[in-house]
Amino acid sequence: MKAIQVGLLGLGTVGSGVVTIIKEHQDKLMHLVGCPVEVRKVLVREKEKERQVVVEESLLTTDPYEVITDENIDVIIEVMGGIEHTRQYLLDAVNEKKQVVTANKDLMAVYGSELLAAATENGCDLFYEASVAGGIPILRSLVDGLASDRIHKMMGIVNGTTNFILTKMSKHGSAYADVLKEAQELGYAESDPTADVEGIDAARKMAILARLGFSMNVDLDDVSVKGISTVTDEDISYSKRLGYTMKLIGIAQRENGRIEVSVEPALLPDYHPLAAVNDEYNAVYVYGEAVGETMFYGPGAGSLPTATAVVSDLVGVMKNMRLGVNGRSAVSPQYDKQLKYADEISAQQFLRIHVKDEVGSFAKITSLFSERGVSFEKILQLPLKQSGNAEIVIVTHHATKKDFTEILEQLKSLDVVDEVKSTYRVEGNGN
Ligand code: NAP
Ligand code: HSE
């Protein structure tokens, strides 16, 4: 039986895993699709580099078009990363009638709609399961498993690097820079880890999730983003003291047809299932109208976990080839995009401020909240080492984004407030 020929763009962390799984799970692939799978050509930057897997030197090339235009290649697997040039390679690949699998969330978050349309026009599949949450089959779960339901909310720990960093800082008191270096050495972080720590990688994944979950054309610019680089040991220790765990959380929520999508370091009650997701692990909590609460958990990064998702997409492509139905699975969005206004986004908030420890200080602060009908759930006040100052930590009940932003502005101009040290959204407190 004729083998399916694969062209691989990239042989780094994920590419090496793909080669390993294709080799080591060949019998299962044969059983599923009825023919062998062979890697025919592999694009790399540097042919002489030492590799994590053995690949015949004759298969390596530094010319992408030797792979894309090879008429014997059926499926292009893109695991090289990058946006602009990769977009062009994939457009050219589908024009060459190649089926495509990619792990590239940067690309899919920005050019996903264009690439899916081009693939469909050319009768090609474009699958991208590995682009969100590595080894967790979350895209397939949204598209197939939960196809009959209406999704109202998704909350995700979708970046392994930041989860690894926050876990180590929180549980072992490790220093931010040391843990980031460890995450890079373990292959979790992007080559430029700014995208991880500033929340951009998670934002790309949340844009992809929101697009599929809410069936709207959600763009990366629609996601409000804050990373973890400003999180301090004090923030972590106060949140622990109040019964919360700090996580970089992606939130996508739909109410009355309008959506909000954000990524930010947020506090979860210690009993929340996402609070128990540690190290490089990812999890996506999905609330559907009919199904209720579901949660998907697993490794969100790393060579073999991510490659599992890539090769499972390859199996999907091969099954479609056998049935002759490639290019028919992408569905255009059902709804026009409607974003929530600032007075429609509501959450509990954690606030840490340094104030003058004098009569009337607290009353001036609380009046700003009560004027807007925002009440407190928890309050902690401690003297600071500098004489005459105190630290106040407040967790509010629900406040709209608009009210809370105005309160913050006014707090900063109060004579009794020295500094607003930090604010964090509090999520999952029984709502
Ligand atoms: P990586 O280790 O940096 O590997 C990239 C590979 O692509 C390398 O083999 C590199 O060649 C090759 N490459 C890159 N640019 C090239 C160019 N312009 N021309 C020729 N070859 C080029 O990256 P990775 O971690 O495997 O990630 C690959 C993709 O998967 C990215 O889109 C990433 O976001 C996504 N992803 C990664 C993970 C993960 O855990 N790492 C998880 C989910 C998704 P050389 O080896 O010769 O330098
Ligand atoms: N840098 C990413 C992470 C890799 O840490 O989650 C997986 O997309």
Side-chain angles (χ1 to χ4, degrees):
M1 176 140 312
K2 187 177 166 287
I4 298 281
Q5 303 283 341
V6 169
L8 205 54
L9 304 181
L11 189 60
T13 305
V14 183
S16 305
V18 169
V19 171
T20 304
I21 293 182
I22 289 178
K23 267 189 195 155
E24 293 187 4
H25 297 191
Q26 189 66 225
D27 56 337
K28 171 131 196 223
L29 301 180
M30 273 280 283
H31 176 72
L32 286 174
V33 295
C35 63
V37 182
E38 282 174 19
V39 176
R40 186 179 172 86
K41 271 192 190 137
V42 183
L43 174 74
V44 290
R45 251 184 309 230
E46 217 186 297
K47 282 193 192 179
E48 290 71 34
K49 197 167 164 179
E50 201 179 317
R51 302 283 161 191
Q52 282 161 18
V53 281
V54 180
V55 172
E56 257 179 60
E57 210 184 316
S58 62
L59 302 187
L60 301 182
T61 173
T62 53
D63 176 2
Y65 287 93
E66 252 194 59
V67 186
I68 294 164
T69 59
D70 183 328
E71 56 187 27
N72 294 303
I73 286 179
D74 307 289
V75 187
I76 299 286
I77 294 185
E78 186 275 301
V79 281
M80 61 186 283
I83 302 182
E84 297 303 332
H85 56 288
T86 319
R87 163 185 170 265
Q88 196 54 55
Y89 297 161
L90 296 197
L91 286 174
D92 292 338
V94 294
N95 283 330
E96 293 283 328
K97 310 294 179 204
K98 308 292 186 206
Q99 312 302 325
V100 175
V101 174
T102 177
N104 191 333
K105 63 262 166 169
D106 311 19
L107 178 69
M108 290 309 289
V110 180
Y111 292 119
S113 308
E114 180 197 11
L115 289 167
L116 285 164
T120 303
E121 254 171 51
N122 282 286
C124 297
D125 288 330
L126 169 53
F127 291 163
Y128 51 102
E129 180 64 69
S131 67
V132 180
I136 308 174
I138 181 63
L139 302 190
R140 203 162 285 128
S141 300
L142 286 176
V143 171
D144 294 332
L146 297 172
S148 64
D149 206 357
R150 283 194 203 99
I151 307 299
H152 288 295
K153 185 168 184 175
M154 289 172 281
M155 277 167 65
I157 294 177
V158 287
N159 182 268
T161 303
T162 46
N163 204 38
F164 185 76
I165 294 173
L166 290 176
T167 304
K168 298 276 185 219
M169 283 175 78
S170 172
K171 291 204 183 296
H172 310 291
S174 313
Y176 174 87
D178 294 345
V179 200
L180 172 57
K181 193 162 166 279
E182 203 183 331
Q184 284 176 288
E185 285 163 5
L186 288 165
Y188 306 145
E190 301 301 304
S191 42
D192 174 2
T194 315
D196 292 299
V197 297
E198 294 307 340
I200 300 155
D201 176 77
R204 289 170 175 146
K205 294 165 179 168
M206 289 311 295
I208 295 171
L209 282 180
R211 209 180 278 160
L212 287 177
F214 302 144
S215 198
M216 289 182 194
N217 249 331
V218 179
D219 295 313
L220 189 54
D221 290 345
D222 301 323
V223 186
S224 92
V225 190
K226 187 178 157 194
I228 65 159
S229 59
T230 54
V231 171
T232 64
D233 294 342
E234 286 87 354
D235 294 329
I236 291 179
S237 111
Y238 276 115
S239 45
K240 276 163 95 171
R241 198 165 165 161
L242 291 171
Y244 297 108
T245 304
M246 172 94 67
K247 294 284 180 194
L248 185 76
I249 299 284
I251 299 169
Q253 195 158 304
R254 169 161 60 181
E255 279 164 312
N256 304 319
R258 286 194 199 287
I259 63 159
E260 60 164 302
V261 190
S262 64
V263 168
E264 57 195 300
L267 305 188
L268 297 168
D270 291 339
Y271 57 77
H272 194 281
L274 284 174
V277 176
N278 287 319
D279 300 317
E280 76 280 15
Y281 279 85
N282 281 197
V284 183
Y285 163 98
V286 181
Y287 184 83
E289 192 173 304
V291 74
E293 292 182 296
T294 58
M295 199 163 109
F296 303 83
Y297 169 87
S303 181
L304 289 176
T306 310
T308 307
V310 172
V311 181
S312 298
D313 273 351
L314 173 63
V315 170
V317 164
M318 294 192 298
K319 283 182 175 171
N320 284 350
M321 284 169 78
R322 201 175 55 181
L323 297 169
V325 294
N326 297 100
R328 306 224 194 133
S329 48
V331 178
S332 51
Q334 186 180 359
Y335 304 105
D336 288 336
K337 180 173 65 191
Q338 305 246 37
L339 298 175
K340 282 190 195 174
Y341 300 114
D343 60 353
E344 293 174 319
I345 297 173
S346 168
Q348 287 190 265
Q349 299 287 344
F350 166 105
L351 173 73
R352 185 162 71 87
I353 44 181
H354 284 185
V355 301
K356 293 197 172 60
D357 198 355
E358 60 188 35
V359 175
S361 257
F362 199 66
K364 283 185 185 170
I365 291 164
T366 54
S367 68
L368 291 183
F369 287 84
S370 56
E371 278 161 18
R372 286 174 180 75
V374 177
S375 61
F376 297 161
E377 184 186 282
K378 292 179 182 172
I379 303 167
L380 192 67
Q381 177 169 342
L382 294 165
L384 276 170
K385 285 202 181 102
Q386 307 102 286
S387 57
N389 273 355
E391 180 147 55
I392 296 181
V393 181
I394 294 168
V395 176
T396 71
H397 282 292
H398 269 254
T400 65
K401 191 171 180 177
K402 180 170 176 288
D403 280 339
F404 191 65
T405 308
E406 285 171 9
I407 289 170
L408 276 184
E409 282 315 305
Q410 293 191 345
L411 270 177
K412 284 176 191 162
S413 58
L414 276 187
D415 57 349
V416 294
V417 172
D418 255 18
E419 196 181 347
V420 175
K421 298 297 286 184
S422 54
T423 66
Y424 296 99
R425 183 169 174 156
V426 177
E427 265 297 319
N429 206 357
N431 45 58

